[in-house]
Amino acid sequence: MAAGTVQSLAALLQRATIDDHEEVLKSCNAALKKSKTDIHAQHVKAVALLKLDRYEDCLRVIEEGGDALKQRASLEYAYALYKVGKLSEALDVAAKLCTGRGARHVEAQAAYRAEDFLRTADIYNDLYSDKASIGNEENDLRINSWATDAQLQWKGQTHAARNKRPTREDLESFEITYNAACGSLARGELSQGELLLNRAKELCKTSEDLTPEEKDAELLPIAVQQLYVLIRQGKLEEAEDLMKEISLSEISELSTRKIAQNNIILAKPPTNPYLLYKAFHETPSATNNDKLFDFQNNALVANSYAANLLVQKYDGVIRSTRKALAQRPCPSVLPSDNVLSVYNAAAHAQDQTGHKGLKEVLPLLERRPKDVGLVLTVVQLYVAAGNATSAIITLENFLRSLEESIAEQDQDIRFNPGLLSALIALYKLEGRKTQIRFELAKAAGHWRQRPNPPAMLLRAAGASLLHSSDPSDLAMSAELFTNLHNQDPNDQYAAAGYVASHAETDLAKAEALLEKLPSVEDLVSEIDVAALEEAGIPQSAASVAATAAVLAGARKRPAAEKQGAAKKRVRKSRLPKDYDPNKTPDPERWLPLRDRSTYRPKGKKGKQRAAERTQGGIVHEKAEEAAAAAPATQQQKAQGGGGGASSKKKKKGKR
């Protein structure tokens, strides 16, 4: 290294202070004018640019410095990539080039923004387990671990979350309390989430570690989340009061501002759809490292298309969704893909539902038969129209086409738990218990050959197969519950299924586990039997109507108890003129005159016809031959004769 470079670097470091990064940057630029390849000056310049939040400039400096600078400033390189939103590259650099706990933190942050929450949770768990090196990171690790677990639950990966119920120590930090509240909301526990958010707000207000400006910045996201909870609970009056605390202009993060604006519109939507459309699109979309997570973005995309449909932008929605769908895989079970299909169908239907909506949507299904979102939309329209059979046929045809495919991805989608749940729900509407058991057995057979099978689906399959009389079904149920119990010995549902499935085949195994199950007395200890008996058995509308009909019938007097049969009253207009109520009517009055027993024909021809109709009378052969020939003659006339004979009658006259 040249002596001048060493002296300039020494002068640079002497002038560097924590609040004077601009001066450091000027000194770096002066040193680099003398020697463009001064790797020490380049490194310090990259750090100064990071301190000034100039992440793109920092990234450019490191990339221009070549591989040597990337290796030397690998941590800064990974962090700059993370901040500009190049998450996959940041993960790659942090995992391969960086070493130490700082690199692991950057890798965890990049994985978190990339929504690889399982990887994030593993990294934080490893960092937390190293007690010797944890230093003053413990509180930050706990906060980030709770945030990761909340995201896992929003993502539907609840089984991987390590923290679900906060301890007393956790509730002393407003950050952890807020993250715990988000986890409760992800599980659908709105009341619990509301309580935790209120506590987080109070802890933030009374915190001695934050300045008033920092408190205001931290309270805004909490208020936005509270607004979401109040809307979900239908507490719109409280939501309007809370809206006064939220100032959109003071929210620095575009993603949080976008969510806040959406919740405010939902809490008090404008009556004019065009004003609603304008308000929804006032905040621009977030970019780089401030982007929304998938579950947030899906909701906002759906609301955006809904606002477009309210102002009748049908053609625009059709074009944009069609263009986006052309770039997505098909079939796909991702919500971000299927929401496009739903609004594409809605735009084609133009606010029409029922049979009119189906008439517009069914041609789309013929062109895109493997579009999951479109198939479910058609199924929903059929169900709304009360046609569950057609809904079942549509879904069965779709699943059959996937089952016939040779692509492994199509097979996984065929037995997707969500699609299977929809089919089973439709089967339940029509009471098809055999089909339910058959579908669950097929799905269990498929997922047993895959790593990390969905436990809830295997539970449902095992419970359904327990009701079968087929020995093979019972054997599969026993195998499913055995695997579930081995994976999680503390799972009471799996343990109960294990006992039930082995009770008839291997009683010793069932008895060994039976003692670990809670007793019946413990399960019903908190049930008030007297209150249940007093309340009675709840009945459906059909059963209530049937019971009322039975009771009404019981109050009627049977025919035997009546003193006399009520005579039917006949109106005078229907009686003949010579009607005499004292005379008994002729019982044969409804028969033709010649069929009555009192009929006597008059004259020679009449007596002859009466004799011919008499059983055992004289048979005339010529009469029979004439009768047999009559149908043939009539048939020939009906056919119009044969050959080219004329149908005109000949005039009478001399030949």
Side-chain angles (χ1 to χ4, degrees), residues 5 265 337 436 479 484 510 571 593 638:
T5 304
I265 293 173
D337 295 338
I436 293 174
E479 183 179 351
L484 289 170
R571 287 180 290 179
L593 185 62

Side-chain angles (χ1 to χ4, degrees), residues 325 328-332 337 368-372 402 409-410 413:
L325 285 170
R328 306 295 178 93
C330 187
S332 171
D337 295 338
R368 307 200 307 267
K370 288 190 176 182
D371 190 328
V372 177
L402 293 179
Q409 181 184 1
D410 289 2
I413 295 176

Side-chain angles (χ1 to χ4, degrees), residues 492-512:
Q492 294 290 328
Y493 190 96
Y498 181 91
V499 171
S501 59
H502 287 86
E504 295 185 2
T505 57
D506 196 338
L507 189 58
K509 291 183 178 180
E511 290 178 346

Side-chain angles (χ1 to χ4, degrees), residues 518-591:
S519 63
V520 177
E521 290 76 11
D522 294 338
L523 294 175
V524 301
S525 60
E526 298 181 358
I527 297 177
D528 190 346
V529 179
L532 288 177
E533 290 183 347
E534 184 177 353
I537 301 174
Q539 296 180 346
S540 63
S543 60
V544 169
T547 304
V550 171
L551 294 175
R555 287 194 294 268
K556 292 180 179 179
R557 291 184 300 168
E561 296 179 3
K562 294 181 180 180
Q563 296 179 357
K567 294 184 179 180
K568 188 175 180 180
R569 185 176 179 182
V570 183
R571 287 180 290 179
K572 293 183 178 180
S573 60
R574 293 184 175 272
L575 297 176
K577 295 181 180 180
D578 56 349
Y579 173 71
D580 187 357
N582 297 324
K583 292 184 178 180
T584 304
D586 184 6
E588 296 181 354
R589 63 188 182 277
W590 309 114
L591 298 177

Side-chain angles (χ1 to χ4, degrees), residues 250-409:
E250 296 179 4
I251 302 177
S252 58
E253 295 180 348
L254 284 178
S255 59
T256 305
R257 192 191 305 175
K258 190 76 173 177
I259 294 172
Q261 186 181 47
N262 179 79
N263 291 348
I264 289 173
I265 293 173
L266 291 177
K268 194 175 181 180
T271 55
N272 188 328
Y274 294 93
L275 293 177
L276 186 150
Y277 176 85
K278 180 181 178 181
F280 184 85
H281 291 90
E282 282 180 353
T283 302
S285 299
T287 57
N288 293 339
N289 203 33
D290 192 29
K291 292 190 297 185
L292 296 165
F293 290 103
D294 273 350
F295 76 93
Q296 297 170 329
N297 188 61
N298 292 337
L300 289 179
V301 167
N303 289 348
S304 175
Y305 283 127
N308 289 342
L309 292 177
L310 285 175
V311 296
Q312 300 181 7
K313 290 193 172 185
Y314 303 123
D315 293 338
V317 173
I318 290 173
R319 286 194 300 270
S320 60
T321 53
R322 183 172 55 204
K323 182 179 179 180
L325 285 170
Q327 302 172 357
R328 306 295 178 93
C330 187
S332 171
V333 292
L334 294 177
S336 55
D337 295 338
N338 291 315
V339 72
L340 298 172
S341 303
V342 173
Y343 280 94
N344 181 270
H348 277 91
Q350 298 187 4
D351 294 336
Q352 296 182 112
T353 58
H355 297 293
K356 293 182 179 179
L358 281 168
K359 185 179 179 181
E360 301 295 333
V361 175
L362 286 176
L364 300 177
L365 188 59
E366 295 178 1
R367 295 195 292 269
R368 307 200 307 267
K370 288 190 176 182
D371 190 328
V372 177
L374 185 56
V375 169
L376 293 178
T377 302
V378 172
V379 168
Q380 180 64 30
L381 288 173
Y382 273 128
V383 172
N387 191 350
T389 303
S390 295
I392 291 173
I393 293 173
T394 301
L395 193 52
E396 284 179 339
N397 291 338
F398 168 68
L399 296 177
R400 190 179 301 111
S401 66
L402 293 179
E403 193 168 356
E404 294 171 354
S405 174
I406 60 175
E408 184 175 350
Q409 181 184 1

Side-chain angles (χ1 to χ4, degrees), residues 80-352:
L81 288 169
Y82 155 68
K83 293 299 290 185
V84 299
K86 297 182 178 180
L87 302 177
S88 59
E89 298 177 34
L91 284 169
D92 189 55
V93 172
K96 293 180 179 179
L97 299 180
C98 303
T99 56
R101 293 180 67 85
R104 295 287 283 166
H105 276 283
V106 174
E107 183 183 357
Q109 290 289 338
Y112 183 86
R113 287 306 314 177
E115 302 195 37
D116 190 353
F117 302 120
L118 292 174
R119 180 176 179 176
T120 308
D122 291 338
I123 294 172
Y124 283 135
N125 188 50
D126 293 342
L127 290 171
Y128 195 82
S129 301
D130 188 2
K131 298 294 184 181
S133 306
I134 196 171
N136 58 355
E137 301 173 11
E138 182 174 359
N139 189 49
D140 291 340
L141 287 173
R142 288 170 57 215
I143 293 172
N144 293 343
S145 179
W146 272 98
T148 304
D149 287 337
Q151 291 291 352
L152 282 169
Q153 293 173 88
W154 282 114
K155 196 88 172 178
Q157 298 171 326
T158 307
H159 63 283
R162 293 172 173 83
N163 303 305
K164 294 183 180 178
R165 292 290 181 268
T167 62
R168 185 181 297 273
E169 183 182 2
D170 294 329
L171 295 178
E172 297 301 321
S173 167
F174 84 89
E175 296 99 332
I176 295 178
T177 305
Y178 174 77
N179 289 334
C182 293
S184 297
L185 298 180
R187 295 190 298 271
E189 301 170 358
L190 299 179
S191 299
Q192 179 69 13
E194 185 180 14
L195 292 174
L196 291 173
L197 286 173
N198 290 333
R199 180 170 179 79
K201 178 182 282 189
E202 293 302 319
L203 289 172
C204 182
K205 289 180 178 179
T206 57
S207 176
E208 299 178 355
D209 300 329
L210 300 175
T211 63
E213 293 77 13
E214 291 174 336
K215 288 181 181 180
D216 292 339
E218 295 289 350
L219 286 171
L220 276 173
I222 298 175
V224 172
Q225 197 73 297
Q226 284 183 309
L227 182 60
Y228 164 79
V229 176
L230 293 175
I231 294 172
R232 285 285 307 275
Q233 293 177 320
K235 300 178 180 179
L236 298 182
E237 293 182 359
E238 297 180 32
E240 288 188 24
D241 295 336
L242 183 62
M243 285 164 52
K244 300 174 184 177
E245 303 179 14
I246 301 174
S247 175
L248 294 176
S249 60
E250 296 179 4
I251 302 177
S252 58
E253 295 180 348
L254 284 178
S255 59
T256 305
R257 192 191 305 175
K258 190 76 173 177
I259 294 172
Q261 186 181 47
N262 179 79
N263 291 348
I264 289 173
I265 293 173
L266 291 177
K268 194 175 181 180
T271 55
N272 188 328
Y274 294 93
L275 293 177
L276 186 150
Y277 176 85
K278 180 181 178 181
F280 184 85
H281 291 90
E282 282 180 353
T283 302
S285 299
T287 57
N288 293 339
N289 203 33
D290 192 29
K291 292 190 297 185
L292 296 165
F293 290 103
D294 273 350
F295 76 93
Q296 297 170 329
N297 188 61
N298 292 337
L300 289 179
V301 167
N303 289 348
S304 175
Y305 283 127
N308 289 342
L309 292 177
L310 285 175
V311 296
Q312 300 181 7
K313 290 193 172 185
Y314 303 123
D315 293 338
V317 173
I318 290 173
R319 286 194 300 270
S320 60
T321 53
R322 183 172 55 204
K323 182 179 179 180
L325 285 170
Q327 302 172 357
R328 306 295 178 93
C330 187
S332 171
V333 292
L334 294 177
S336 55
D337 295 338
N338 291 315
V339 72
L340 298 172
S341 303
V342 173
Y343 280 94
N344 181 270
H348 277 91
Q350 298 187 4
D351 294 336
Q352 296 182 112

Side-chain angles (χ1 to χ4, degrees), residues 437 460-469 473-474 477-478 481 496-502 504:
R437 189 159 51 245
S464 177
L465 292 172
L466 279 175
H467 300 282
S468 175
S469 58
D473 290 345
L474 297 176
S477 176
F481 280 118
Y498 181 91
V499 171
S501 59
H502 287 86
E504 295 185 2

